[in-house]
Amino acid sequence: MSERFDGSFTQQEPIPEAGIEAAMAVLRHGRLHRYNTAGEEIAETALLEEEFAAHVGARYCLALASGGAAMACALRALQVKPGDPVLSNAFTLAPVPGAIASLGARPVFVEVTEDLTIDLGHLERQALASGAKVLLLSHMRGHVGDMDAIMALCDRLGLRVVEDCAHTMGARWKGVPSGRHGAIGCYSTQTYKHMNSGEGGLLVTDDAELAARAVLLSGSYMLYARHRAAPGPEVFEALKLEVPNVSSRMDNLRAAILRPQIGMLDDRRARWRVLYQGMERGLRGVAGLKLIPRPQWEDYVGSSFQFLLPGWEPARVAAFVAAAAARGVELKWFGAADPQGFTSRYAHWLYAAPEVLPQTDRVLAGLIDMRLPLTFLPDDVELIARILAEEVARAAEATELAPVAAPVAD
């Protein structure tokens, strides 16, 4: 009888007790709004910003309602206007082009390589052809490209870089925290990310004017002096009557839940690495399946796992995904004709009027994605890998045994 996995791909670890206690304190005093404080009290949100800025080595940090809100705020702070082209990876999730479109700007997609990172040759061509001045660089599914080469190219092209670090909070490139290469780094604290507050986002920068614009955009009214990880009041004076209020603040309840999790990021990265490498060992050498290489300079957070099924026909991939699901293994396929759940691809975002990207289409046609929640144990990933290896082999066998249609007579 075939083995089956009975665990949950969506069950996260509980909120740490310190976060629960802090959240209960906020609920009891009722001051959930970040600017609603009593006496000399420092808001949980202000403390979160200060502590996260210190963790990644940034001068300034702003907490927002979601990762998407952080990206949109970053683009507004860079003064992206309606109609402006903004470059972004073709392989990303819907909130990334959604942040661009929310400003009335125009997403310009860039091809992805088989390593699941942005194609630098195509990035240069798209930048020159579009005249874009901003790149919203998505470290999709935790795969960090060669940041030295990316930043050198962007500097040469005059591109300001906003890093989407929704999947790379806690990751590093050559020791530099993800989000610290570009002008602005944006993070998500949605439930399936590396810190969990249900929804939430963080923005970091070293640029005082960008930070001040972001704080005003988030909806600080004239209370910006209450921020502890923001520029001094003098930076706001020249901007406070110019920058609109686009309310997208984080509240004290979510900040209270998040603060204890900052100190857990390094341990979580190490634990995710054990699960990720267990999947690699279990699938290495499986015929018909290609693993994604990880660069030596990338200290990644393996909270999800990807592999390619190169050259597989769509029906064969769909049958494989269904067979895995029947054995309890939930997979996402980025080559499916229609978007499903959280999974969609650039061709589905018709509001962006996407051009066909042949290289990306070829990669995504066989791209399989799977969550690795920290509620999994090493034995779990060993079982999952065995199931996937068996189903890949069965799919190959079924293809070989499929009847060949007789030639049609002239």
Side-chain angles (χ1 to χ4, degrees):
M1 184 176 180
S2 297
E3 294 179 290
R4 177 183 170 82
F5 179 67
D6 294 319
S8 171
F9 283 81
T10 57
Q11 180 59 55
Q12 306 305 302
E13 292 188 305
I15 299 300
E17 286 300 319
I20 294 172
E21 292 174 9
M24 291 302 296
V26 171
L27 291 173
R28 288 190 178 101
H29 65 56
R31 294 184 292 278
L32 275 69
H33 193 282
R34 70 165 296 157
Y35 300 119
N36 180 202
T37 55
E40 299 300 313
E41 177 187 13
I42 302 170
E44 290 285 337
T45 312
L47 291 170
L48 170 69
E49 292 165 345
E50 185 175 48
E51 292 161 4
F52 190 78
H55 183 78
V56 299
R59 292 182 66 187
Y60 310 117
C61 178
L62 175 66
L64 294 127
S66 69
M71 289 186 287
C73 185
L75 295 175
R76 286 189 173 95
L78 286 166
Q79 301 182 70
V80 172
K81 299 293 193 298
D84 284 354
V86 176
L87 298 156
S88 188
N89 316 44
F91 176 46
T92 187
L93 291 180
V96 175
I100 299 170
S102 73
L103 279 69
R106 177 169 61 90
V108 178
F109 295 114
V110 180
E111 295 267 28
V112 65
T113 70
E114 285 195 353
D115 294 346
L116 305 186
T117 58
I118 197 164
D119 185 301
L120 295 186
H122 195 241
L123 171 60
E124 181 168 9
R125 294 193 295 275
Q126 291 289 73
L128 294 173
S130 68
K133 299 301 181 185
V134 175
L135 166 64
L136 179 48
L137 176 64
S138 181
H139 302 308
M140 178 62 170
R141 285 302 190 248
H143 293 272
V144 180
D146 183 337
M147 292 307 299
D148 299 324
I150 290 170
M151 293 309 302
L153 176 61
C154 290
D155 289 345
R156 178 164 63 82
L157 295 172
L159 290 173
R160 305 296 299 277
V161 177
V162 176
E163 292 181 71
D164 163 31
C165 305
H167 302 159
T168 55
M169 180 188 284
R172 294 181 173 89
W173 177 266
K174 292 187 177 180
V176 178
S178 186
R180 300 295 294 123
H181 290 87
I184 300 175
C186 298
Y187 308 82
S188 172
T189 62
Q190 187 248 29
T191 284
Y192 300 118
K193 304 305 189 296
H194 304 161
M195 297 199 305
N196 174 16
S197 61
E199 289 285 1
L202 294 158
L203 176 158
V204 299
T205 184
D206 288 341
D207 186 301
E209 181 179 327
L210 291 178
R213 286 183 178 275
V215 168
L216 292 167
L217 284 161
S218 73
S220 68
Y221 299 90
M222 296 299 120
L223 302 175
Y224 44 77
R226 297 193 188 182
H227 288 248
R228 296 167 67 88
E234 70 282 358
V235 183
F236 289 87
E237 284 302 310
L239 299 171
K240 65 183 184 182
L241 303 183
E242 171 193 334
V243 179
N245 178 329
V246 185
S247 295
S248 54
R249 298 169 301 270
M250 182 183 286
D251 56 78
N252 284 326
L253 180 59
R254 282 183 283 183
I257 292 169
L258 287 170
R259 286 181 59 207
Q261 297 182 57
I262 296 174
M264 303 170 74
L265 281 170
D266 289 342
D267 177 68
R268 287 175 174 176
R269 181 179 65 246
R271 292 167 59 208
W272 261 310
R273 187 71 63 87
V274 170
L275 300 178
Y276 189 98
Q277 291 178 345
M279 285 298 305
E280 281 187 316
R281 286 192 300 272
L283 294 178
R284 186 171 288 116
V286 174
L289 180 152
K290 181 179 179 182
L291 298 178
I292 311 298
R294 308 298 312 218
Q296 69 177 76
W297 299 112
E298 179 196 21
D299 191 3
Y300 60 90
V301 182
S303 55
S304 64
F305 192 87
Q306 296 74 41
F307 57 87
L308 296 171
L309 301 172
W312 285 38
E313 294 294 325
R316 184 181 172 196
V317 180
F320 165 74
V321 171
R327 298 179 65 180
V329 178
E330 297 179 16
L331 302 175
K332 300 174 184 177
W333 174 32
F334 277 91
D338 297 314
Q340 298 179 12
F342 292 98
T343 307
S344 59
R345 54 190 167 87
Y346 83 95
H348 297 138
W349 305 323
L350 298 183
Y351 61 83
E355 299 177 357
V356 174
L357 299 173
Q359 177 175 296
T360 297
D361 287 341
R362 185 177 68 254
V363 172
L364 299 188
L367 179 61
I368 302 298
D369 174 51
M370 182 180 69
R371 286 194 182 109
L372 287 178
L374 285 176
T375 47
F376 284 5
L377 300 173
D379 286 349
D380 294 327
V381 298
E382 289 180 13
L383 171 58
I384 292 167
R386 286 199 302 274
I387 291 171
L388 294 177
E390 289 171 8
E391 293 305 329
V392 168
R394 286 176 181 169
E397 181 181 356
T399 301
E400 292 172 1
L401 296 176
V404 178
V408 178
D410 291 337

